[in-house]
Amino acid sequence: MKITKALAQKLALAGQGLDGPWELPGGKEGVAQTIERLGYVQIDTISVVQRAHHHTLWSRRGDYHPRMLDELLAADRRVFEYWTHAASYVPMCDYRYYVRSMNRFADRPRTREFLERHAKAVDEVRARIRRDGPAASADFAAPDARKQGTWWDWKPAKRALETLFSLGELMVTERRSFQRVYDLAERVLPADVDTTAPPADDVMRWRIGRLLARQGVSNLRHWSLRDREAVRRAVAELIDADEAVELAVPGLDGGPWYALTEAVEAASRRRRRKRLHVLSPFDGLVIWRGRLRELFGFDYKLECYLPAAKRKYGYFCLPILWGRQFIGRLDAKAERRARRLIVRRLTFEPGFDGFDAAAGALAAKLSDFAAFNGCERIAVEQVRPGKLTAPLVRALTAKGAP
């Protein structure tokens, strides 16, 4: 099937829930269902603004509050933490599809070597949690008198926690001040969760289906799809069942591209108004940089890992999406004590000439973003091109942003 690049972009936005709100319940239940539809939400530690996992959910749900995710993990057990392409919150209903990953981790030579070399530390960590209950890595810090050469050395204990977590023996039962608190999996998993590993082909078919659902359109160049023959079989089965379709997209290289059949039909019918989003660098739409560049022509890099002198757009610049076009990058910092959001640098893309049309939506989104970060005021330091500084301040003032 041949589709336009514009339709491919619409598929990508629809798969990520960024073309308009999904018809889901309000409050925490809607957040849980959002994570289930996305498949995972990536966790990140950087906190100059709200952390990536909270930011990603807020971008799709205006009623989101960080305590909702904390409760879904620690109280409701609707999500759990595990590895996708990175540390992520994953729907608990998908648990069984991660069991094979846990088993593969156990078979890695490095895992076996660590378990053998530090058997005492691993056994002690396991026994202590079983006996005393949930623990964080800080709970294994060595007392002053025990800092030499025993399992109490923090590094083996911390690695033991992380290894047992990756093996599935331990799970994150909650976060305290963003620190993982581990407990035995048997005490975290709800009783009705299926923990049996499906056959390998079933897992691959599920993974392909999940990937297409959340990406909307994909050429399946995905880090975790290493068994190309298994991928080929899974795609062929989905196409034969009319669940997926192969696409040709003029203007896009790296094909063939694939999408879920139902998604193509829905996107072809859908007419949505333009929406403006300030996205996290770890948002599912932008995290795969090559795909982002191919689909949207947006060449994006996260510069916080670069020396300050080499940064072009700022420490933690956030992509700004308006409709199907990435129009700029926002480097912002939330000064939480002062309750002020600083726009350190707002850079519009070269050639963008739609500021007048986008100004109202941008000002409204910045105001909402400030409130989401616990800020009452917005301070604009730099806008590129500079001639747009005054119009942006006027638009913010018109939206009631002090």
Side-chain angles (χ1 to χ4, degrees):
M1 175 188 295
K2 182 181 289 188
I3 66 170
T4 63
K5 187 174 182 179
L7 182 53
Q9 292 171 339
K10 289 175 65 176
L11 281 164
L13 296 175
Q16 283 291 313
L18 292 171
D19 65 339
W22 285 326
E23 295 181 2
L24 300 176
K28 188 168 57 174
E29 176 60 29
V31 174
Q33 291 187 31
T34 297
I35 299 171
E36 289 168 2
R37 291 190 69 160
L38 291 173
Y40 69 87
V41 173
Q42 183 174 339
I43 301 169
D44 193 71
T45 60
I46 297 174
S47 59
V48 291
V49 293
Q50 280 279 16
R51 288 188 172 98
H53 38 289
H54 298 311
H55 188 165
T56 295
L57 290 168
W58 172 81
S59 294
R60 290 145 179 88
R61 299 196 58 84
D63 65 347
Y64 175 75
H65 190 282
R67 67 170 176 271
M68 296 176 179
L69 184 56
D70 295 337
E71 291 174 4
L72 289 171
L73 173 72
D76 304 327
R77 305 301 195 199
R78 290 288 295 275
V79 299
F80 69 101
E81 289 192 31
Y82 200 65
W83 304 106
T84 53
H85 69 280
S88 302
Y89 289 102
V90 182
M92 187 66 80
C93 60
D94 290 344
Y95 180 86
R96 66 191 300 252
Y97 291 102
Y98 288 85
V99 173
R100 282 189 172 272
S101 296
M102 299 171 188
N103 295 340
R104 281 199 305 273
F105 183 83
D107 290 336
R108 291 170 54 185
R110 288 181 62 184
T111 304
R112 293 198 299 268
E113 179 185 356
F114 175 80
L115 292 173
E116 292 171 4
R117 178 177 297 180
H118 299 283
K120 183 178 180 181
V122 173
D123 289 344
E124 291 279 6
V125 166
R126 188 189 285 121
R128 179 174 171 179
I129 290 177
R130 183 174 295 280
R131 181 184 67 245
D132 299 336
S137 61
D139 297 324
F140 293 89
D144 290 342
R146 291 186 169 180
K147 284 188 175 178
Q148 297 181 358
T150 72
W151 79 272
W152 288 96
D153 179 20
W154 181 74
K155 289 183 179 178
K158 182 175 185 294
R159 279 198 61 191
L161 286 169
E162 293 171 347
T163 298
L164 292 171
F165 166 77
S166 296
L167 290 170
E169 286 192 45
L170 298 181
M171 296 182 71
V172 177
T173 186
E174 63 175 324
R175 290 255 182 175
R176 295 178 190 157
S177 301
F178 196 60
Q179 299 301 306
R180 283 173 168 173
V181 180
Y182 300 90
D183 200 357
L184 301 177
E186 63 203 56
R187 297 199 294 230
V188 175
L189 283 169
D192 60 348
V193 170
D194 189 348
T195 60
T196 58
D201 282 351
D202 289 356
V203 174
M204 183 59 76
R205 193 162 48 250
W206 172 83
R207 292 175 74 187
I208 296 294
R210 270 291 200 189
L211 189 153
L212 294 179
R214 68 173 174 261
Q215 290 197 344
V217 59
S218 177
N219 57 10
L220 303 182
R221 291 180 176 177
H222 193 264
W223 72 271
S224 59
L225 303 177
R226 296 170 182 168
D227 187 341
R228 304 313 299 180
E229 180 57 29
V231 171
R232 188 197 63 76
R233 288 197 305 271
V235 170
E237 290 174 6
L238 289 169
I239 291 175
D240 287 346
D242 200 28
E243 295 179 34
V245 61
E246 181 176 322
L247 301 171
V249 188
L252 288 186
D253 297 327
W257 293 75
Y258 301 93
L260 297 180
T261 305
E262 184 179 27
V264 175
E265 295 170 352
S268 300
R269 297 190 302 266
R270 186 179 293 125
R271 297 290 182 269
R272 297 288 180 96
R273 66 177 177 84
K274 264 188 176 182
R275 298 177 183 275
L276 191 140
H277 297 284
V278 174
L279 298 176
S280 164
F282 302 98
D283 192 279
L285 183 68
V286 303
I287 191 61
W288 306 109
R289 311 301 194 211
R291 177 176 178 272
L292 178 67
R293 187 166 52 249
E294 183 75 28
L295 266 177
F296 293 95
F298 187 58
D299 191 6
Y300 173 74
K301 295 178 181 177
L302 184 57
E303 298 181 340
C304 60
Y305 306 112
L306 296 176
K310 293 186 176 182
R311 293 175 193 148
K312 183 177 180 181
Y313 299 106
Y315 176 78
F316 197 65
C317 68
L318 313 174
I320 302 174
L321 173 71
W322 188 44
R324 293 185 286 107
Q325 181 184 9
F326 283 88
I327 65 171
R329 307 159 199 247
L330 168 68
D331 183 36
K333 176 178 173 60
E335 288 190 338
R336 294 175 177 88
R337 288 187 178 180
R339 302 182 69 81
R340 179 175 63 171
L341 181 75
I342 302 178
V343 176
R344 289 171 158 174
R345 185 181 304 166
L346 173 58
T347 307
F348 290 98
E349 291 298 284
F352 175 66
D353 59 1
F355 178 82
D356 290 344
L362 177 58
K365 185 60 67 174
L366 288 175
S367 298
D368 291 345
F369 188 61
F372 173 58
N373 280 276
C375 297
E376 298 174 346
R377 295 179 294 134
I378 298 175
V380 178
E381 291 186 346
Q382 185 180 38
V383 178
R384 294 179 177 174
K387 66 181 181 180
L388 295 180
T389 304
L392 176 63
V393 172
R394 286 196 297 270
L396 286 168
T397 302
K399 291 296 181 181

